[in-house]
Amino acid sequence: VINALATSLELGIGVTVLALIIGLPAAKALGQRKFRYMRLVEFVIFAPTFVPGITYALGINVNFIRWGLAGTLWGVGLVHLVPVLPYVVLIMAGVFSNYDPAHEEQARTLGAGWRQTFWYVTLPAIFPGLVVAALLGFLVSWNQYLLTFLVGGGSVITLSVLLFSTLAGGNNSVIAALSLLYI
């Protein structure tokens, strides 16, 4: 149980950080810019939220077997990005649509580099949305049973995989204890 909890936390935190790194530029582009085929780009980004997980998990699993990522923590982390990224991008696009980029321009005019501008101007302004996106991204990753089971192949045991496998055993006290820990 301790190993499954540690694996779940490691996966959830790692996937969330990676989703924020990948999703911030996409969210900034969607939130602040209007461009041709914007709706098509939004559709492609948000498609995993309304396509059943098994649909893309089986295709990804075939490729991960070829590449040696099936049954590894990296493979499971990468497949968790598929359902997590749309939520992170959606939340952060809303944050960036209400963000005024003129503050960044003023900071650059006053001599700040891009790192200073991001750290002292952009990050404080988007921080509340970043926290919400991170929490939701973590919860989506934490809750992935099917993707973890298919790509992990029984080698990567998270709390959700352990809980669902314990349900078949019928020991109610163990199920209740794992459920409380999961919640």
Side-chain angles (χ1 to χ4, degrees), residues 15 22 31 37-38 49 52 67 80 82 84 93 99 104-105 107 110 112 114 118 129 140 147 157 171 179 181:
V15 167
I22 294 169
Y37 304 117
M38 184 171 160
T49 60
W67 301 333
H80 278 205
V82 175
V84 171
Y99 175 73
E104 290 177 0
E105 293 171 22
L110 293 172
W114 69 270
F118 179 77
V140 170
L147 297 178
I157 305 296
N171 189 343
S179 297
L181 186 59

Side-chain angles (χ1 to χ4, degrees), residues 91-105:
I91 290 169
M92 292 310 298
V95 170
F96 279 116
S97 69
N98 294 320
Y99 175 73
D100 187 10
H103 299 298
E104 290 177 0
E105 293 171 22

Side-chain angles (χ1 to χ4, degrees), residues 112-176:
W114 69 270
R115 286 186 185 120
Q116 290 175 320
T117 301
F118 179 77
W119 188 255
Y120 293 111
V121 177
T122 308
L123 190 60
I126 66 169
F127 188 73
L130 204 61
V131 170
V132 171
L135 287 174
L136 186 60
F138 178 83
L139 286 176
V140 170
S141 177
W142 178 268
N143 196 32
Q144 292 303 316
Y145 164 73
L146 182 65
L147 297 178
T148 305
F149 184 71
L150 287 175
V151 175
S155 299
V156 179
I157 305 296
T158 60
L159 208 53
S160 62
V161 170
L162 189 62
L163 177 64
F164 281 98
S165 66
T166 307
L167 288 174
N171 189 343
N172 290 339
S173 59
V174 173
I175 294 169

